[in-house]
Amino acid sequence: MEPLKQYQRRKFDSGLTRIEILLKLYDRLIGDLEMCRDAQREKNDSLLVKHQLDTHKAMTAILSGLRPEENEIAFNIARLLHFIMQKIDQDDYEPAIKIANSIQSGFRQIADQAIEMEHNGEIEPLPMTDSYESVG
């Protein structure tokens, strides 16, 4: 495929709600943090770096969906995610895993209600196309 055709907008329809995707992102983040911890214990630097990059990808995906300037809860979650990033930078994975699990647990507790609210139109569903918006 030509390089220019590889970069194009795609339609996004996973069939999942926002909360279901968020929970999957936290699953990914927690799994990658655990892999970092294990690679560190095994002194496998190349595997550690790979999983650190994966944690940064998961964190970026989670953070991109937050609007901390609009909501105090989102602001507090952003602060917790910042703490996790600091722990990753310090190669201190246990506290990062613990906090990520706590955040995910909180979202699991409200998942059914969030799904219902999205189906009722009270929560905006995910956009059907991917895009980037810049505010100048």
Side-chain angles (χ1 to χ4, degrees):
M1 182 182 285
E2 293 177 42
L4 290 177
K5 290 187 179 182
Q6 288 179 356
Y7 183 76
Q8 56 187 333
R9 289 188 182 201
R10 296 176 310 222
K11 187 172 175 126
F12 179 79
D13 185 11
S14 68
L16 298 174
T17 63
R18 284 181 181 272
I19 191 80
E20 291 167 327
I21 290 173
L22 184 62
L23 290 171
K24 287 185 178 297
L25 286 170
Y26 276 102
D27 282 340
R28 177 71 185 261
L29 174 63
I30 293 164
D32 289 329
L33 287 168
E34 290 170 343
M35 297 292 260
C36 285
R37 178 199 59 207
D38 296 345
Q40 181 187 39
R41 287 179 181 164
E42 297 167 8
K43 299 186 185 337
N44 187 334
D45 291 337
S46 63
L47 199 55
L48 177 59
V49 169
K50 177 205 177 303
H51 291 298
Q52 284 174 331
L53 288 171
D54 290 341
T55 62
H56 287 285
K57 289 177 190 177
M59 292 289 287
T60 299
I62 293 168
L63 285 166
S64 70
L66 283 177
R67 295 185 182 140
E69 67 282 352
E70 296 177 13
N71 184 297
E72 186 177 346
I73 294 170
F75 178 79
N76 288 329
I77 290 170
R79 289 178 53 208
L80 290 169
L81 293 172
H82 177 71
F83 174 80
I84 291 171
M85 286 189 287
Q86 288 178 318
K87 291 300 170 186
I88 293 168
D89 290 344
Q90 297 167 1
D91 291 329
D92 190 7
Y93 298 100
E94 287 302 330
I97 293 166
K98 183 178 178 182
I99 296 296
N101 273 312
S102 294
I103 297 169
Q104 184 187 46
S105 175
F107 282 119
R108 282 196 193 286
Q109 291 176 18
I110 64 159
D112 290 339
Q113 182 182 5
I115 291 168
E116 184 178 331
M117 290 174 73
E118 187 169 327
H119 287 302
N120 292 338
E122 298 171 55
I123 296 175
E124 184 179 329
L126 289 171
M128 295 303 284
T129 58
D130 58 354
S131 63
Y132 178 78
E133 186 177 311
S134 177
V135 178

